[in-house]
Amino acid sequence: MRTGTTIPVLTVSFGAVMVLMIVLTAIALDRIQSDFQNINSIVRENNVKTRLVNQMRTAARDRTVNLQKMVSSADPFAREEAYVQFNNNGGLFAEARIALLAMELTDEEKAILGQQAALTRTVVPMQRRIADLAIMEENDEANRLLVEGGIPKQDRVFVYLTRLQNLQEEAAEQVVSQANREFFYTKTVLLILAGSIIFISFLIALFVVRRTSLSEKSLFKEKERAQVTLHSIGDGVITTDAAGNVEHINSIATLLTGWSNADAHGTPAREVFRVVRDSDREPLQDPVSRILAEQTVITSDRHTTLVCGDANEFAIEYTASPIFSSDKSIIGAVLVFRDVTEMRALSHQLSYQASHDSLSGLINRREFEARMERLLANIGDKGEVHTLCYLDLDQFKIVNDTCGHIAGDELLKQVATRLKSHVRESDLLARLGGDEFGILFLNCSTEKARLILEEIRKSANDMRFVWDDKSFNVGVSVGVVSIDGNSANLYSLLSAADTACYVAKDEGRNRIHVYQSDDHTLALREGEMQWVHRISSALEDNRFRLYQQLIEPLAADTPELHCEIMLRMVDENGAEVPPMAFIPAAERYNLMSAIDRWVVRNTLDALDQRGTAGMQAEQSFAVNISGQSLCEDNFLDYVQQQIAQHRTNPSQLCFEITETSAIVNLTRAMHFIATLKQLGCRFSLDDFGSGLSSFAYLKNLPVDYLKIDGGFIRDIADDPMDRALVESINQIGHVMGIRTIAEYVETPEILAVLREIGVDYAQGYGIVRPVPLSTLANVAVQAAR
């Protein structure tokens, strides 16, 4: 070939090669740019989805924790704060879900969100119900719904959200895998092109190498971005290869397992992720090996513990899923797990609180009856004999009334400790409520149980309970009933034991009575009719007396004169019976409505007879209304009729309703108050603060006065906690335009503290003792002083 010809040929060839190089290079660069944009778009969308799903999980988990805090907390402010956070987290959950639905979703993602929505529609009403029960302080029912329904259903919601996270993690891994394949293909093409033309143009080759380097950096950056996505997830994440060796763990997984990413890399997952069963500490099968073998998604049960390399342990829940390549072959696994130690501890705490009495630490009535039900269901024809006992303290009401609820609680604790020391390990001891205890002696005859009970009775009789400068003898009355294969149902056994206990009390207290089937009717009639007859006879013979006690204004700008109407019964011998001697019996046998009617009628009669003599124009009289009367359909009509038949101005009547009866019968209380306030009557909420759940109900109860529970008043001069509670109640009452009354004011020191706080009224023996209602003029004289 001639040189002259060669040069044009080479030139043409070079030109052709250059054109080919330029075309191929342009195509390759365009492909790199396209791949970069595509990967960047996919990764960005994946990051947004991951963030939204993580926000939904966090809001759902926090919502459950808020609900558990509402149920377990005794502080109304903490419960209100938890309720606000509970609603806020619901809003965050909905906001994240709406944003997620607005994105482009796969069919699988849409299906999971649909399943989650269907489940959430059943979870939310239950959560609202639990929250309402917690606000209403119906803790037993709230605990039961939360443990049996709320938490399990919320966990199922987490399963769907975890599946959504797994989809995003799989998508992230696929993006990284696809990016690596595209990079390898592009790099190969460029290297072949560079090799073909290296003798033609070193500069062009250098340019291509530089472009390749830039592309490699860009792809590495995208890979790093995908790794950051894994680290941003709030749960622990471990990814493995097809052999089950760890490829990567995120920061949460490092924190929980104790393994760093560098140390864990290449290590079998079974060594990094070691789990045991809570109950027996038996090691569980490695989930990664299992899913690689079964090629299916698996989830943990609710009793799994993760053992860390540093000997720490966490209660966890996990989901393990295989990772498939585009040809459906397994290329690894992803393990997602989260720390549920706090949630599980709260669950155990709620379960314990639902079955135990908080004061004594013994099991409560509900748990006691549940275990008895199981015993009766399995007793069959085995020939087993057990003994059921009811124990009732004989002097508890005297201690409670004389020294207050704190002393009563301390007495119950001491009695519970003594009872524990006498019963066997196999026996069942419970506090059934108030001053009543129950013992179930398992595989124990009545004769043997009676020997143990006699020791308990003597121990209680020898016990001297001392409080301040007062000392009390403590006795116990015991009812006993035998249980065997022929025993009746639970209700009949409990009723028989209760009856036997009342017989023991009626026979003189501090004794043991064994139930016999042939004395059931007689014992029941004697126990019931004794007080029924005495109260009914006193009503028929008009042997009740009305007393009044001044409620003194504490500030010059509180001019009203206020009195409380009190009740005494006169027995057959002419002796006065204090209210706490017959009121509990009247409440037990549904006689309170008749007594309340007598009080309303005779109070109005007495006020009519006195007219305005010795009374100030703004003087009012507080009449106590029981929960039974509040629930009676015709009682409101009766009160309206009595007001219409008397001359007394309705504005001089103030009806007192206890906080407990008002909250339990909220709808009736609201109707009762609204109806009588239209006539001009006033209302006072008695024992306010005793339940510590009152503030949420004040908006629905338009009362004029709050009577602060005396338990907070007795020690207010010495106890800063009681003072803080009274200040809080007083402040909230004043903000709502309600005046406050402190009862059980016994000393000048207490009175001085109440004036300093700004309480409007005070009532108690430290101011004036009750006097007969006929002495209306005395009240005006005392007020003038």
Side-chain angles (χ1 to χ4, degrees), residues 309-553:
D310 56 3
N312 286 329
E313 294 184 353
F314 298 94
I316 64 164
E317 294 177 353
Y318 67 81
T319 299
S321 307
I323 301 175
F324 295 96
S325 64
S326 58
D327 60 358
K328 303 301 181 182
S329 61
I330 291 182
I331 59 174
V334 59
L335 182 63
V336 181
F337 54 100
R338 60 192 177 97
D339 179 11
V340 295
T341 304
E342 181 180 358
M343 185 178 295
R344 194 168 293 174
L346 285 172
S347 178
H348 289 326
Q349 180 184 357
L350 289 174
S351 178
Y352 179 86
Q353 290 175 347
S355 60
H356 286 73
D357 171 53
S358 59
L359 178 66
S360 64
L362 305 177
I363 63 172
N364 57 22
R365 175 182 286 272
R366 177 183 175 186
E367 182 68 13
F368 186 75
E369 293 180 355
R371 296 191 189 183
M372 278 197 62
E373 285 278 20
R374 291 196 291 270
L375 176 71
L376 293 174
N378 298 321
I379 193 170
D381 299 325
K382 299 178 182 178
E384 298 177 352
V385 176
H386 314 287
T387 303
L388 171 65
C389 309
Y390 253 41
L391 298 87
D392 191 288
L393 301 185
D394 293 331
Q395 302 297 328
F396 179 73
K397 289 188 180 300
I398 296 177
V399 173
N400 225 27
D401 295 344
T402 305
C403 302
H405 295 295
I406 297 177
D409 290 346
E410 179 60 29
L411 173 59
L412 291 173
K413 291 178 184 178
Q414 293 184 19
V415 170
T417 301
R418 289 203 173 215
L419 292 177
K420 288 178 186 177
S421 67
H422 287 283
V423 299
R424 305 169 302 176
E425 285 283 339
S426 60
D427 298 330
L428 200 59
L429 173 62
R431 181 187 174 203
L432 305 180
D435 59 343
E436 295 181 349
F437 295 85
I439 303 177
L440 180 60
F441 292 105
L442 296 174
N443 298 311
C444 181
S445 66
T446 303
E447 293 75 17
K448 185 176 180 179
R450 184 156 190 166
L451 294 176
I452 301 174
L453 291 169
E454 185 61 29
E455 294 179 2
I456 292 175
R457 188 197 65 77
K458 290 180 180 179
S459 176
N461 191 49
D462 294 340
M463 177 180 176
R464 297 287 296 177
F465 179 72
V466 179
W467 188 264
D468 293 335
D469 57 345
K470 301 179 181 65
S471 179
F472 302 89
N473 287 323
V474 179
V476 61
S477 299
V478 186
V480 182
V481 62
S482 179
I483 303 175
D484 55 29
N486 298 319
S487 295
N489 56 36
L490 173 64
Y491 174 79
S492 299
L493 288 170
L494 294 175
S495 178
D498 190 26
T499 297
C501 184
Y502 271 92
V503 170
K505 281 188 173 293
D506 290 342
E507 290 178 347
R509 303 177 184 273
N510 192 31
R511 63 190 63 214
I512 300 169
H513 185 87
V514 179
Y515 171 81
Q516 301 294 335
S517 58
D518 56 359
D519 73 349
H520 172 72
T521 302
L522 178 61
L524 184 61
R525 286 183 62 84
E526 288 178 350
E528 289 182 347
M529 293 307 295
Q530 181 177 3
W531 268 113
V532 170
H533 173 73
R534 293 182 66 184
I535 296 173
S536 299
S537 177
L539 286 168
E540 292 176 2
D541 300 339
N542 204 31
R543 283 189 285 104
F544 284 101
R545 298 292 181 267
L546 294 178
Y547 277 65
Q548 62 177 346
Q549 185 178 33
L550 174 68
I551 302 176
E552 180 177 305

Side-chain angles (χ1 to χ4, degrees), residues 47-278:
N47 285 342
V48 173
K49 287 184 179 179
T50 300
R51 178 179 60 79
L52 292 175
V53 172
N54 194 44
Q55 182 177 335
M56 291 171 63
R57 284 176 54 86
T58 301
R61 179 167 56 249
D62 290 346
R63 187 173 169 89
T64 302
V65 171
N66 295 148
L67 200 58
Q68 291 170 329
K69 289 181 179 178
M70 288 176 64
V71 174
S72 61
S73 175
D75 187 349
F77 299 103
R79 188 157 45 241
E80 288 288 344
E81 180 181 355
Y83 183 74
V84 172
Q85 294 176 353
F86 169 80
N87 289 325
N88 289 341
N89 286 321
L92 292 175
F93 183 93
E95 177 182 342
R97 188 175 186 277
I98 292 171
L100 186 60
L101 287 172
M103 299 184 67
E104 184 176 352
L105 303 176
T106 65
D107 292 339
E108 187 174 3
E109 289 172 334
K110 292 178 180 177
I112 293 175
L113 283 173
Q115 294 169 349
Q116 172 267 317
L119 179 58
T120 301
R121 282 193 291 271
T122 66
V123 172
V124 170
M126 179 173 292
Q127 290 179 331
R128 291 292 184 186
R129 174 60 178 162
I130 294 171
D132 291 341
L133 290 173
I135 290 296
M136 294 174 67
E137 208 176 17
E138 296 183 6
N139 289 332
D140 287 346
E141 181 64 13
N143 289 341
R144 183 186 67 79
L145 286 177
L146 185 59
V147 172
E148 297 177 0
I151 292 178
K153 288 190 175 183
Q154 188 63 59
D155 286 343
R156 290 175 58 195
V157 172
F158 284 145
V159 170
Y160 289 125
L161 296 179
T162 300
R163 288 172 60 188
L164 279 176
Q165 283 187 320
N166 292 340
L167 290 178
Q168 305 313 313
E169 294 160 4
E170 292 173 9
E173 292 293 334
Q174 289 176 359
V175 168
V176 172
S177 178
Q178 180 182 354
N180 285 329
R181 289 195 299 271
E182 294 293 335
F183 166 73
F184 178 79
Y185 173 78
T186 303
K187 183 176 180 180
T188 302
V189 171
L190 293 177
L191 288 175
I192 292 174
L193 179 61
S196 302
I197 64 173
I198 191 170
F199 297 104
I200 302 172
S201 176
F202 176 75
L203 292 177
I204 295 176
L206 181 60
F207 173 77
V208 172
V209 171
R210 290 184 62 188
R211 292 292 297 177
T212 302
S213 177
L214 291 175
S215 298
E216 184 176 4
K217 290 181 179 179
S218 177
L219 290 174
F220 179 77
K221 186 181 295 184
E222 293 302 324
K223 183 177 180 180
E224 285 294 308
R225 188 175 298 176
Q227 296 294 346
V228 170
T229 299
L230 292 179
H231 282 278
S232 68
I233 295 174
D235 294 340
V237 179
I238 298 177
T239 58
T240 74
D241 57 20
N245 297 321
V246 175
E247 287 189 339
H248 180 77
I249 67 175
N250 69 352
S251 57
I252 300 298
T254 295
L255 180 65
L256 294 178
T257 62
W259 286 72
S260 68
N261 189 38
D263 293 338
H265 186 76
T267 305
R270 63 179 176 273
E271 297 182 15
V272 177
F273 187 79
R274 295 185 297 125
V275 288
V276 298
R277 189 166 42 233
D278 289 349

